[in-house]
Amino acid sequence: ATKVASTNGVKIVVERAMYFANEGTEAMGVTTPGKYWFLAEGYTDLGFRTYILIQNPNAVSTSVKLIYMKSDGTTKTKTVTVAANSRFTVVATEANTYGIGVGQTFSTTIQSTQPIIVERAMYWMNGDNTLAGHDSPGVTGAALAWNLAEGFTGAGFDTRILIQNPNSSAAHVTITYMKQGGGTVTKTVTIKAHA
């Protein structure tokens, strides 16, 4: 994990890019640690590998609870201790340690005793037998509305909208697709509690 800080009061912007084989991944930095984090995406089937990456920027260790939420509303909880000023990698396929196991579709709520930073990385094999991947920082809170500027379903692209309901009651959700050039398509879905 990395911490980048301006030392003379001039504000900066930080991203991280990683390149491997014929692929790459990128993520914006996070400016504020938090005790609660949410990841809407997680998948460990068909060769996909999901990693939950935890940075503890504190001078003391922290206890971190991972609550895996499946699409049917069932949950699985694991707890890990992350040392001071360190990074910890949760391998989601490893059910015997801190993961949820192979063949799972899930989202994750993370709760910590100290403010931490959380990202989710996913890797899978491309059709040409090279490794592909992507990464995203978590968010520190749920909200009533979210916006996504990108979406494409042509020329072999497969776009998925991933929604986590970390609450104890069902969420009734309206999804409005806004087409390039104008026009909308609206869909509704109910997401079970903790799903």
Side-chain angles (χ1 to χ4, degrees):
T2 308
K3 184 176 183 179
V4 181
S6 173
T7 58
N8 67 344
V10 176
K11 293 182 179 181
I12 57 175
V13 178
V14 176
E15 297 182 36
R16 184 205 57 253
M18 293 174 62
Y19 302 97
F20 43 92
N22 295 321
E23 298 292 335
T25 181
E26 184 275 342
M28 292 298 301
V30 173
T31 59
T32 307
K35 291 185 176 181
Y36 296 90
W37 289 88
F38 302 89
L39 301 167
E41 163 73 316
Y43 190 62
T44 59
D45 204 0
L46 303 175
F48 281 76
R49 294 177 291 171
T50 299
Y51 300 89
I52 298 171
L53 312 161
I54 304 167
Q55 179 193 39
N56 178 9
N58 303 288
V60 295
S61 65
T62 185
S63 177
V64 179
K65 183 189 295 184
L66 300 120
I67 305 167
Y68 297 104
M69 301 177 176
K70 300 181 187 182
S71 57
D72 64 2
T74 61
T75 63
K76 184 176 187 179
T77 301
K78 299 287 182 92
T79 302
V80 61
T81 298
V82 181
N85 295 310
S86 73
R87 163 192 156 150
F88 190 90
T89 301
V90 174
V91 181
T93 56
E94 294 180 355
N96 292 332
T97 58
Y98 307 107
I100 189 169
V102 176
Q104 302 295 322
T105 301
F106 59 96
S107 60
T108 313
T109 295
I110 297 103
Q111 301 171 356
S112 178
T113 57
Q114 298 291 324
I116 59 174
I117 305 293
V118 174
E119 293 185 33
R120 184 216 61 249
M122 294 179 67
Y123 298 97
W124 61 93
M125 294 305 293
N126 258 340
D128 61 0
N129 230 15
T130 60
L131 192 65
H134 63 71
D135 178 273
S136 178
V139 297
T140 56
L144 294 176
W146 293 86
N147 294 282
L148 301 165
E150 164 70 320
F152 187 65
T153 57
F157 281 77
D158 185 5
T159 297
R160 297 170 188 229
I161 310 299
L162 307 154
I163 305 168
Q164 176 188 22
N165 177 9
N167 303 288
S168 57
S169 58
H172 305 289
V173 177
T174 299
I175 304 165
T176 304
Y177 299 101
M178 301 174 194
K179 298 185 203 176
Q180 186 164 318
T184 62
V185 174
T186 301
K187 304 284 184 175
T188 59
V189 63
T190 296
I191 303 172
K192 294 178 181 179
H194 304 295

